[in-house]
Amino acid sequence: MTTTVDAATGEPVGSWPVDGPEQVAAVVEQARAATQSWRELGFTGRKRALQRWAARLVLRADELCALIHAENGKPLDDAYLEVVTAVEHLNWAAEHAHKVLKPKRVWPGLMMANHEAVIEQRPHGVVGVIGPWNYPVYTPNGSIAYALAAGNTVVFKPSELTTGIGHWYVEAFAAANPALPPGILSAVSGPGDTGRALVESGVDMIAFTGSTATGKRIMAAAAQRLTPVVLECGGKDAAIVADDADLAAAADAIVWSAMANSGQTCVGTERCYVVASVLDDFLTELTRRVRELTPGSDPAASYGPMTLPTQVDVVAEHVDDALANGATALFGGADSIRAPFVAPIVLLDAPEDSVAVREETFGPTLTVRAVRDVGEAIRLANASQYGLASSVYSRKHGMAIARELRAGATSVNSPAAYAAIPALPFGGVGESGIGRIHGAAGLLGFTRPHSIARQRFAIPGMALQSFARTESTMSLVRKITARRFGRAK
Ligand code: NAD
């Protein structure tokens, strides 16, 4: 059995049988059997089914949020915002799938002018989705909603820490659509081995959200069958505060980005580079806000416990290492860590080659460094193996700074707006991942283009792809080609 616990108290929440390779294969087979009926529903039928599901998620959000609060630990309002953002994506995918994925006729080119050329986007088939525990609804939903809207069926393996949430979410689809056959969206339960069984089960695509280390293992396993993957992995996101920033607003956004969800946010700010001339004022604003935060699981808590108990040790290691190597604690320190809760920690001048600056800490911590100018901030922000997202605070130069950042997404004068805008693709560069979810790119990623060229009529004597081709045809082709392309200066 796999058992989940309340992240704050350690009390059991629920237990499920662990699915091994045989059970996973049976669920994938049922998902394959359901692909035909799901495709036959067409874009309109699928849209209705997805919107009925969205309605159920909204109408029963209190139940789902209570489960998120227990298994993940975040406050109920944060849980509700997670559900709302997931529903925004679900609705966008449902509404836009037809427009983005409908067949497109393209110009066949002069040589093939007697053909009709069409691109039809086909769903991959069965998509295996493997999810993390930090945003247990929002993150897998970013794959599941788009995969389903594109006409795939889905087998979802939630994190073993948030199995109950995963099952609730999946069961809500069936409950909202009792007339549909089983297998359009199903869940399998268990630890990493169950995820591995899903990758090796012969599914037609894998959409993974989780750590970079697991992402690499999944990509290697998927390579055995050349199964396509989209990998949404870790990050070490930087915020840049320019000298023309609204410092109060920047501090507000950065504190939320770094500390909300106990800092367990893939696109949470972990590093902050501030132009030296505004450092003192910025730190005053930052400290004022950090001081007001209290972790806990009561209704007044600013954020919850650390969900993954072993992550507390990683936070402690990063903080200790930074302090031993010259960083100073602007706020909090080793004493702030009282598992399962970690009070905010802000470190000044942690060395750029320390683990606290280079590796994902995934706790309510922030490193802050003064920089000479925005150019230095950009250089340091980009000097990371990760490249998930970033944020920029500047009244006048936000867009120009954003364009210089090596990341999949950037928000200007707000913490993580791109994640809540369904039309924007989401995903990282470097060790933060490969491929995109969300937006039109997300829908397209859950399909493969099928190119169809139909000969509308034959042109006598002009058959090029034939042994019956004549010399005069070739001579004509040579002349036309020289005219069309041979005159560039
Ligand atoms: P994790 O990698 O430990 O686990 C993620 C999922 O993979 C779990 O369901 C786990 O059971 C499964 N898994 C583990 N080993 C596997 C294997 N060999 N084969 C198949 N599946 C396997 O990650 P986590 O601790 O659950 O989540 C935290 C991480 O997720 C952080 O690094 C965070 O940055 C990242 N994350 C990224 C995004 C994003 O969109 N880029 C979003 C949320 C979280």
Side-chain angles (χ1 to χ4, degrees):
M1 295 296 268
T2 183
T3 299
T4 61
V5 297
D6 184 297
T9 63
E11 294 290 316
V13 173
S15 290
W16 296 261
V18 170
D19 291 312
E22 275 174 28
Q23 289 88 351
V24 169
V27 175
V28 170
E29 200 179 314
Q30 191 183 46
R32 200 167 291 292
T35 50
Q36 181 79 3
S37 357
W38 186 235
R39 271 178 216 180
E40 278 169 5
L41 274 187
F43 287 109
T44 311
R46 289 196 295 268
K47 175 168 123 176
R48 287 204 189 105
L50 293 173
Q51 289 179 334
R52 278 194 291 267
W53 181 30
R56 192 170 176 98
L57 294 177
V58 169
L59 294 175
R60 302 197 173 214
D62 286 350
E63 229 176 281
L64 178 56
C65 291
L67 210 43
I68 297 173
H69 176 61
E71 286 187 333
N72 165 279
K74 69 183 67 177
L76 285 169
D77 281 356
D78 286 5
Y80 190 75
L81 282 178
E82 177 176 349
V83 173
V84 170
T85 318
V87 166
E88 285 282 357
H89 278 279
L90 183 50
N91 188 59
W92 193 93
E95 289 277 0
H96 289 79
H98 182 231
K99 187 173 170 215
V100 174
L101 300 175
K102 68 184 174 196
K104 293 189 181 53
R105 197 167 281 179
V106 292
W107 165 234
L110 197 60
M111 294 245 290
M112 294 289 159
N114 57 331
H115 286 74
E116 176 192 24
V118 184
I119 307 166
E120 297 191 1
Q121 297 297 141
R122 307 244 177 275
H124 288 291
V126 181
V127 176
V129 175
I130 299 173
W133 45 262
N134 63 336
Y135 288 86
V137 174
Y138 169 79
T139 52
N141 177 79
S143 295
I144 293 168
Y146 291 80
L148 287 174
N152 302 278
T153 59
V154 170
V155 177
F156 172 36
K157 206 293 280 176
S159 165
E160 55 274 37
L161 274 68
T162 52
T163 312
I165 299 165
H167 278 269
W168 195 101
Y169 166 84
V170 165
E171 282 156 18
F173 177 85
N177 292 288
L180 291 178
I184 292 167
L185 173 62
S186 0
V188 290
S189 321
D193 284 349
T194 305
R196 189 179 325 141
L198 184 57
V199 176
E200 291 170 354
S201 67
V203 288
D204 305 293
M205 181 177 177
I206 285 288
F208 166 76
T209 308
S211 64
T212 297
T214 307
K216 287 179 183 177
R217 271 181 225 122
I218 286 178
M219 193 164 176
Q224 297 306 311
R225 293 172 187 251
L226 294 186
T227 307
V229 292
V230 53
L231 305 176
E232 299 291 340
C233 302
K236 190 74 190 172
D237 288 2
I240 293 180
V241 181
D243 55 3
D244 69 336
D246 175 336
L247 298 178
D252 186 71
I254 290 169
V255 167
W256 183 82
S257 173
M259 311 294 171
N261 204 31
S262 207
Q264 306 167 122
T265 302
C266 55
V267 293
T269 301
E270 296 211 356
R271 303 177 286 151
C272 181
Y273 298 107
V274 186
V275 172
S277 57
V278 295
L279 180 71
D280 290 347
D281 290 345
F282 174 73
L283 292 182
T284 307
E285 295 287 353
L286 191 77
T287 316
R288 193 153 63 78
R289 286 165 175 80
V290 169
R291 193 170 284 135
E292 285 166 12
L293 303 181
T294 17
S297 64
D298 55 292
S302 322
Y303 59 82
M306 299 289 289
T307 315
L308 179 66
T310 53
Q311 197 67 29
V312 179
D313 302 333
V314 176
V315 175
E317 184 205 325
H318 287 198
V319 172
D320 290 347
D321 176 83
L323 293 173
N325 285 292
T328 52
L330 174 77
F331 194 88
D335 290 352
S336 312
I337 302 170
R338 292 191 188 147
F341 299 103
V342 179
I345 301 171
V346 181
L347 300 170
L348 271 187
D349 298 328
E352 287 298 300
D353 60 356
S354 65
V355 283
V357 176
R358 301 212 57 79
E359 291 175 17
E360 193 177 45
T361 308
F362 230 51
T365 67
L366 178 71
T367 66
V368 181
R369 170 171 290 277
V371 288
R372 215 174 30 250
D373 52 26
V374 158
E376 187 184 7
I378 292 169
R379 184 177 62 72
L380 292 175
N382 287 345
S384 170
Q385 76 266 30
Y386 295 112
L388 190 53
S390 49
S391 57
V392 175
Y393 299 88
S394 165
R395 284 193 172 92
K396 287 201 192 126
H397 309 293
M399 290 302 282
I401 300 168
R403 288 188 189 106
E404 298 296 320
L405 290 169
R406 177 181 170 274
T410 302
S411 64
V412 177
N413 297 331
S414 72
Y418 47 78
I421 299 176
L424 288 177
F426 184 88
V429 299
E431 300 212 3
S432 286
I434 180 165
R436 292 292 179 268
I437 55 172
H438 301 175
L443 283 167
L444 285 163
F446 285 105
T447 62
R448 59 180 171 81
H450 185 173
S451 302
I452 303 178
R454 181 181 69 85
Q455 181 171 274
R456 291 184 297 132
F457 53 87
I459 307 177
M462 271 304 286
L464 297 178
Q465 296 175 332
S466 162
F467 289 116
R469 197 173 57 208
T470 63
E471 270 191 27
S472 67
T473 304
M474 280 314 295
S475 132
L476 183 63
V477 168
R478 280 198 180 88
K479 264 189 219 149
I480 294 173
T481 306
R483 260 197 184 192
R484 291 176 67 209
F485 305 117
R487 294 190 295 187
K489 295 199 175 73

